[in-house]
Amino acid sequence: MDKQQLSKDILKLVGGEENIDQVTHCMTRLRFNLNDNKKADKATLKNTPGVMGVMENGGQFQVIIGNDVPVVYNALVGNMSKSPDAKPAASSGTSKKKNPLSAVFDFISGVFTPILPAITGAGMLKGIVALLLTFGWIDATSSTYIILSAIGDGAFYFLPIILGISTARKLGSNMYIGAAIGASVMHPTITALLAPGENVSFIGLPVVAATYASSVIPILIAIWLASYVEKAIDKVTHASLKLIVVPTVTLLIIVPVMMIAVGPLGVIIGNGLTDGINWLFNNAGLFAGLLVGGAFSLLIITGMHYALVPIMIGSIATLGYDYLIPLMMMANFAQAGSALGVSLKSKNKQIKSLSASTGVTALMGITEPAMYGVNMRFKKPFVAALIGAAISGAFVSFFQTKAYVIGGLAGLSGIPMIIGPTFVYALIGIIVAVVVSAILTYILGFEDVPEAVPAAEPTTPAATTSVSAVTAVEETKALDQDVFSPITGEVKSLSEVPDPAFSEEIMGKGFAIQPSEGRVVSPINGTVFSLSKSGHAIGLVSDDGAEMLIHIGIDTVKLKGQFFSPKVQAGAKVAVGDVLMEFDREEIEKAGYTTITPVIITNMHQYNSIESAGRTTIKEKELLFTAKA
């Protein structure tokens, strides 16, 4: 393949040099920030020899190349008149000015994603406690109930402190100053002082009574302001005094400002949003459910659903219930129904297996494999899912179905969220979402992928076949390749990876591992032929010629090497079990990235199939799979 010509074709098909703002590359794909994605010819790009796939994710236009991406990238840059390299990230964590709406969604997503485990765990416990109380298995006056309730309520009551840490981290400020700001307004003395009816002032300025427990918007605004104050003070303070002056002045300015102005304003905004949503569902429930339920999957694709998280939390904190969570569940179950409908309709065994497995995964609340790998791939099933979500959303909203806690994924694991007076309607809605989407998928149909027919073996007359020719064929024939696990963790199908490049096996075949430890060892005897600058991806070639890719996490290239510690360099000879990489699994996940790690053979054209070792959990150096020649 002529990489120079390929780079020219890609440059033209993405809209030309004038349409490129920035371009970088990771281990397998070119990552473009285009001025206008619509100017790119996706259809032609997908069918261009040398291009394995095209996708848009997180505002980036990504062209999947494979192991040759560095060569294509260099050729691409060589064909451009100016350097398109990404600019270094600013201290605030942003490198490119975004439009205001994208900036807001990115901010909310970055703040709430890391704290979701804490909120989810606490919410699940609140649901379990409510279930125990409903069935009379626990006494509301017992100390056991009081302790369990405190554990469940703790994360929500002290939410300003948790959000103070997460928001400061997102903005590049000191996380512990953020925590201190949240703790200040949650102090028992302040809480008592701000009780309604009390006349409070600070240096002569009136302090409006406000309740900060379980609040969201006041602390978000306060930490946003604090990030500017902190940076301004840091800039004008001598290095020897920064440790004392910066936090002291920041707290002295921000906490009073929060209590005098930001807090009351934030409470008004939060209550206004909550009241507005509830008014809509109380007065136009069926229409609201139809619209929001049908659009929820689209919101998830764009990341806009994160903007609803503060509203959900605020509703449950102030009213004790929320209308939006059931609609999110309907959307997820509809995606599951459509994937299962594809499994019923398709004649292709591989597609049937893929859609069935991703459908079951979606039932548990993990919809990305079903949505990206199946429904959006075949288009009509995705439309069926939107319709199914709209119909089931209208049903649950008509009966004012509520969620009473936040906890678990919006699937079967999240059932405790909806246990309450409207539980029956929620269950009926789930059935409607799955069944309607599956039936619509079956009726609408889709362009099925025909079964691959094994190519006939070429026949060569014995009289014209030389001994040397037979020998040459035997010498180039691939051998079976055993691949041992590079990571300790849980074995997953590639269909469960939330990236079509892997879930659709565009890059190659193999398995994924959900790591339980932060270390990668060599799965083969061979050579490290490439190591990404960000450390998230490792390319290897075995002594028997198998080309492999180990891709730690999805979109972790955006971390730019943070939390990754390579232990080898490109060109190093390795044996099974040699340490290749160490990474901080917990910090990567806190930053909002999944650490699921595809382990794949990229030159599958030399192999017939992949044979699993049959393990669901695995340790380093245990057999993961065999590539059969």
Side-chain angles (χ1 to χ4, degrees):
M1 183 197 309
D2 187 342
K3 305 298 190 301
Q4 188 65 234
Q5 184 59 48
L6 175 60
S7 68
K8 291 179 181 178
D9 292 341
I10 292 173
L11 184 60
K12 178 182 177 181
L13 293 171
V14 297
E17 181 178 348
E18 64 277 4
N19 194 37
I20 299 175
D21 180 41
Q22 295 175 8
V23 58
T24 57
H25 74 89
C26 59
M27 196 75 170
T28 59
R29 62 192 81 180
L30 297 170
R31 293 171 173 263
F32 291 93
N33 290 95
L34 300 179
N35 296 318
D36 185 356
N37 285 6
K38 293 180 181 179
K39 290 184 178 180
D41 189 345
K42 288 179 68 174
T44 305
L45 263 174
K46 287 180 179 179
N47 294 317
T48 300
V51 174
M52 304 176 73
V54 177
M55 59 185 289
E56 294 181 55
N57 186 24
Q60 283 190 332
F61 188 89
Q62 302 176 5
V63 181
I64 304 168
I65 302 297
N67 293 332
D68 292 327
V69 70
V71 180
V72 177
Y73 172 81
N74 290 334
L76 180 79
V77 172
N79 289 324
M80 298 177 66
S81 59
K82 62 180 180 179
S83 173
D85 292 344
K87 304 169 184 64
S91 60
S92 63
T94 58
S95 60
K96 179 185 174 184
K97 188 174 181 180
K98 302 177 182 179
N99 70 67
L101 191 61
S102 296
V104 170
F105 291 145
D106 176 70
F107 171 67
I108 294 175
S109 171
V111 169
F112 282 94
T113 299
I115 72 170
L116 284 179
I119 296 175
T120 296
M124 284 292 288
L125 187 56
K126 285 169 67 72
I128 292 170
V129 171
L131 189 64
L132 295 174
L133 195 62
T134 300
F135 287 98
W137 295 336
I138 193 172
D139 187 351
T141 61
S142 68
S143 57
T144 300
Y145 172 80
I146 294 172
I147 292 172
L148 288 175
S149 295
I151 297 171
D153 287 334
F156 294 96
Y157 185 84
F158 292 103
L159 192 60
I161 299 176
I162 298 174
L163 280 173
I165 295 170
S166 184
T167 307
R169 185 176 184 275
K170 171 62 179 175
L171 294 172
S173 303
N174 188 298
M175 295 186 292
Y176 303 103
I177 294 178
I181 293 170
S184 298
V185 296
M186 291 302 300
H187 193 282
T189 303
I190 297 296
T191 302
L193 186 65
L194 295 181
E198 295 291 334
N199 186 16
V200 182
S201 65
F202 179 77
I203 57 173
L205 297 172
V207 177
V208 181
T211 301
Y212 293 99
S214 304
S215 65
V216 173
I217 294 179
I219 192 69
L220 293 180
I221 299 174
I223 303 301
W224 175 68
L225 291 174
S227 69
Y228 286 97
V229 172
E230 182 183 339
K231 289 180 177 67
I233 299 170
D234 183 83
K235 189 175 181 180
V236 299
T237 304
H238 189 273
S240 63
L241 299 174
K242 288 182 188 291
L243 180 62
I244 298 173
V245 174
V246 174
T248 303
V249 178
T250 301
L251 288 171
L252 195 57
I253 293 174
I254 293 299
V255 175
V257 167
M258 182 178 180
M259 296 172 63
I260 293 167
V262 172
L265 176 63
V267 170
I268 291 171
I269 295 172
N271 290 341
L273 289 171
T274 299
D275 292 342
I277 291 290
N278 284 289
W279 181 90
L280 181 64
F281 281 92
N282 288 329
N283 293 276
L286 190 146
F287 174 76
L290 186 75
L291 182 64
V292 178
F296 225 111
S297 291
L298 299 174
L299 296 179
I300 291 172
I301 291 171
T302 60
M304 293 171 63
H305 65 297
Y306 282 107
L308 302 177
V309 174
I311 299 175
M312 296 174 186
I313 295 174
S315 292
I316 290 178
T318 57
L319 302 174
Y321 59 80
D322 175 66
Y323 288 118
L324 293 172
I325 293 173
L327 296 180
M328 183 164 59
M329 296 183 75
M330 297 306 112
N332 285 359
F333 280 111
Q335 293 293 338
S338 286
L340 295 173
V342 171
S343 180
L344 293 172
K345 182 82 171 180
S346 178
K347 303 299 183 184
N348 185 307
K349 292 180 181 178
Q350 184 178 0
I351 297 300
K352 289 178 77 72
S353 175
L354 172 65
S355 53
S357 62
T358 57
V360 172
T361 303
L363 288 175
M364 299 307 297
I366 304 171
T367 58
E368 285 87 351
M371 188 157 60
Y372 293 111
V374 177
N375 298 339
M376 291 180 68
R377 175 183 177 183
F378 293 112
K379 299 180 179 64
K380 288 183 180 179
F382 185 69
V383 173
L386 297 183
I387 297 172
I391 293 172
S392 57
F395 174 83
V396 297
S397 295
F398 180 78
F399 289 101
Q400 297 188 346
T401 306
K402 305 174 182 71
Y404 300 91
V405 295
I406 292 179
L409 297 169
L412 293 177
S413 62
I415 291 295
M417 295 191 293
I418 54 176
I419 293 176
T422 58
F423 182 54
V424 172
Y425 300 118
L427 290 182
I428 296 173
I430 289 171
I431 295 171
V432 170
V434 174
V435 173
V436 168
S437 300
I439 292 175
L440 281 175
T441 297
Y442 199 90
I443 293 173
L444 292 175
F446 50 90
E447 189 175 341
D448 201 5
V449 178
E451 285 276 13
V453 179
E457 290 292 331
T459 57
T460 306
T464 60
T465 304
S466 67
V467 174
S468 60
V470 173
T471 303
V473 170
E474 290 176 349
E475 287 177 351
T476 58
K477 184 179 179 181
L479 301 174
D480 287 357
Q481 177 66 59
D482 287 335
V483 177
F484 298 88
S485 179
I487 301 177
T488 297
E490 187 178 354
V491 180
K492 302 283 187 180
S493 165
L494 284 181
S495 63
E496 297 182 56
V497 178
D499 186 330
F502 297 108
S503 63
E504 296 180 20
E505 298 185 340
I506 295 173
M507 293 297 307
K509 294 185 178 183
F511 288 87
I513 299 174
Q514 185 63 57
S516 59
E517 298 179 2
R519 189 169 82 155
V520 180
V521 302
S522 177
I524 47 91
N525 297 325
T527 304
V528 178
F529 72 78
S530 62
L531 179 67
S532 66
K533 291 182 180 179
S534 58
H536 75 290
I538 306 162
L540 305 124
V541 59
S542 76
D543 293 338
D544 292 325
E547 296 176 7
M548 294 195 61
L549 173 66
I550 303 172
H551 197 284
I552 307 166
I554 300 303
D555 275 344
T556 44
V557 64
K558 296 178 182 177
L559 292 172
K560 298 181 179 179
Q562 190 178 15
F563 311 129
F564 292 93
S565 178
K567 302 302 178 185
V568 294
Q569 294 180 342
K573 291 288 292 182
V574 292
V576 173
D578 288 350
V579 179
L580 304 177
M581 176 75 63
E582 291 181 353
F583 60 96
D584 194 326
R585 179 175 59 87
E586 293 182 354
E587 288 299 322
I588 293 171
E589 291 173 350
K590 283 180 184 178
Y593 297 90
T594 176
T595 53
I596 191 169
T597 300
V599 181
I600 60 174
I601 299 286
T602 56
N603 59 335
M604 274 304 298
H605 60 279
Q606 294 186 14
Y607 298 91
N608 291 324
S609 63
I610 293 292
E611 185 178 283
S612 170
R615 292 183 170 90
T616 55
T617 58
I618 199 164
K619 294 181 179 179
E620 292 176 1
K621 299 187 289 185
E622 290 183 341
L623 183 64
L624 177 61
F625 66 85
T626 301
K628 306 294 288 185

